[in-house]
Amino acid sequence: MDIEKHMIVAGPCAAESRDQVIKTAEELAAGGIRIFRAGLWKPRTKPGEFEGVGVEGLGWLSEAKSRFGLKIATEVASVEHLKAVLAADVDYIWLGARTVTNPFAVQTIADALKGVKIGVMVKNPINPDVNLWLGAIERVENAGIENVIAIHRGFSSYEQHTYRNNPLWAIPIELKRKRPSITLLCDPSHISGRRELVAPLCQQALQLNYDGFFIEAHCCPEHALTDSRQQVLPSELISILDNLDEKTNKELSQNVNFFRDKIDEIDRRILELLSERMDISQEIGKVKIQSNAPLFQGDRYNKMLEDRIEIGRQLGLSSDFVEQIVRKVHEESLKKQLDLNE
Ligand code: PEP
Ligand code: MN
């Protein structure tokens, strides 16, 4: 991948010492990275853990900026943080996932951003709500900030599987559909929680047309005070980016129309069949009403659900997917039958 063509923000989860910041920044700058990130105030789940070095680290970031020509970025969670950061000529701030869940906090920071010229990155909230994410972006834009960037860092879930934070790709895709001009970055570090998953996530994001990446890199990841398992060496980061395959995108766009035509046709057929199914449901509804029978028949519903899940399984469709479709279709059928009463 051509690093120059994408927006890449890289650096340690947290600034820990002057040496760590300068060494990491120097190696990243030598590899072609232009924007350096480091957290100064770290939102930790439990008290008593390393909570960042605070304002002291601003001097280290400024040094990295002047020595290596890097733009610098850090997280801001309060007006107090923002004031300190603005005094140190920071180029970008980001609003963290926890801050973005709270419209009061976002609005307070947005109010303090009025008249300020700075880039603002807005992470997705920890809960899967595209409107909350869009709302935070709008609050920042309404404060007059022109350079607003969205960062996809995944969503918290009670059940943890492969990823530390579930990617739920449909949400950033919906954000981009609603706001096509917004720059969208993928943060594979916080999505994955594991350094070996950073490269495959970057590849997926590239194939979904993301504009760039926001990745954690540390000069000594094993000794990192926060997010140690997900940070990569600066040299690893450069090689991950170098090895990403951009060609896939272009080749796909040339052959894709043939398949898109097929998909359009299939979707039309699905919708025609659904409409036919709804007509039949209404006929059944009339019979039920005439016979004074309840519209919802629990046994029939359970049997239908089981049956469709089994057919889906034989066709290679996941039970979760089939269940969601059947539930939705059944809900709509019932609605149509209920409307017959009016
Ligand atoms: C971070 O980028 O270091 C961070 C704390 O991220 P998030 O707000 O996405 O958890
Ligand atoms: Mn982190």
Side-chain angles (χ1 to χ4, degrees):
M1 187 192 82
D2 185 354
I3 294 184
E4 296 292 324
K5 285 204 201 126
H6 299 267
M7 180 173 182
I8 317 282
V9 184
C13 178
E16 297 166 4
S17 68
R18 179 182 166 273
D19 279 359
Q20 171 246 13
V21 167
I22 297 302
K23 192 167 187 304
T24 310
E26 183 169 23
E27 291 175 21
L28 287 169
I33 300 298
R34 302 270 169 264
I35 310 170
F36 181 73
R37 65 147 282 159
L40 301 175
W41 299 276
K42 298 306 301 176
R44 305 312 301 274
T45 303
K46 293 257 178 77
E49 296 177 326
F50 174 66
E51 288 183 330
V53 295
V55 280
E56 190 190 356
L58 279 169
W60 311 334
L61 292 186
S62 298
E63 185 179 341
K65 176 170 172 156
S66 59
R67 273 178 66 178
F68 312 120
L70 288 158
K71 300 248 184 258
I72 50 176
T74 197
E75 175 171 347
V76 154
S78 67
V79 173
E80 191 196 349
H81 295 165
L82 179 66
K83 285 192 178 143
V85 156
L86 292 177
D89 202 18
V90 163
D91 303 282
Y92 294 90
I93 56 163
W94 78 81
L95 303 184
R98 292 154 196 81
T99 304
V100 176
T101 55
N102 180 352
F104 290 130
V106 175
Q107 192 57 53
T108 308
I109 296 170
D111 289 343
L113 277 168
K114 289 204 177 103
V116 172
K117 226 178 142 34
I118 197 167
V120 179
M121 308 185 208
V122 180
K123 290 209 165 195
N124 67 253
I126 50 176
N127 48 322
D129 183 341
V130 73
N131 287 324
L132 195 55
W133 193 4
L134 281 165
I137 289 170
E138 282 163 27
R139 286 175 200 279
V140 172
E141 286 174 333
N142 291 346
I145 298 292
E146 284 170 13
N147 189 13
V148 184
I149 294 137
I151 302 178
H152 171 217
R153 51 79 78 198
F155 302 87
S156 263
S157 70
Y158 180 64
E159 287 169 34
Q160 238 106 66
H161 299 290
T162 314
Y163 301 112
R164 176 180 176 192
N165 290 293
N166 197 347
L168 302 177
W169 297 101
I171 292 179
I173 288 171
E174 176 63 4
L175 180 105
K176 195 74 179 172
R177 190 183 70 77
K178 288 195 163 150
R179 297 293 310 273
S181 64
I182 216 138
T183 301
L184 175 64
L185 307 184
C186 174
D187 172 349
S189 312
H190 290 90
I191 293 177
S192 68
R194 287 192 281 151
R195 63 179 67 84
E196 61 276 20
L197 294 178
V198 168
L201 276 167
C202 286
Q203 187 61 54
Q204 285 187 48
L206 206 54
Q207 275 158 260
L208 292 170
N209 235 348
Y210 278 59
D211 302 296
F213 300 105
F214 186 90
I215 309 184
E216 288 187 343
H218 189 293
C219 59
C220 187
E222 313 82 74
H223 294 123
L225 299 178
T226 56
D227 288 351
S228 163
R229 284 190 67 204
Q230 71 195 32
Q231 302 202 60
V232 296
L233 285 167
S235 58
E236 285 168 342
L237 178 97
I238 304 303
S239 99
I240 288 172
L241 296 175
D242 273 352
N243 288 319
L244 291 176
D245 193 356
E246 265 182 303
K247 272 200 312 245
T248 335
N249 255 335
K250 292 181 201 115
E251 280 163 10
L252 200 68
S253 62
Q254 280 152 18
N255 297 325
V256 87
N257 286 343
F258 167 75
F259 294 110
R260 287 202 170 142
D261 287 348
K262 278 194 158 194
I263 281 181
D264 289 350
E265 176 55 21
I266 291 173
D267 285 353
R268 202 174 58 84
R269 269 163 46 208
I270 293 174
L271 293 172
E272 280 170 1
L273 285 170
L274 281 172
S275 153
E276 208 179 304
R277 191 189 189 287
M278 291 305 157
D279 290 346
I280 296 174
S281 297
Q282 279 185 313
E283 293 308 315
I284 299 177
K286 285 181 199 155
V287 176
K288 285 180 189 161
I289 290 167
Q290 273 163 13
S291 340
N292 220 6
L295 291 176
F296 179 68
Q297 316 258 335
D299 289 351
R300 158 76 184 153
Y301 180 56
N302 288 336
K303 168 94 189 53
M304 188 180 86
L305 203 53
E306 269 172 38
D307 178 65
R308 306 310 186 253
I309 288 173
E310 176 53 23
I311 297 174
R313 198 189 60 74
Q314 288 168 18
L315 294 168
L317 300 171
S318 80
S319 54
D320 186 42
F321 176 59
V322 175
E323 185 172 334
Q324 283 187 49
I325 293 177
V326 176
R327 284 194 192 283
K328 266 277 160 227
V329 171
H330 185 261
E331 187 187 317
E332 185 66 18
S333 289
L334 265 186
K335 229 187 267 166
K336 290 242 182 259
Q337 295 184 346
L338 285 167
D339 286 348
L340 291 170
N341 287 320
E342 285 167 9

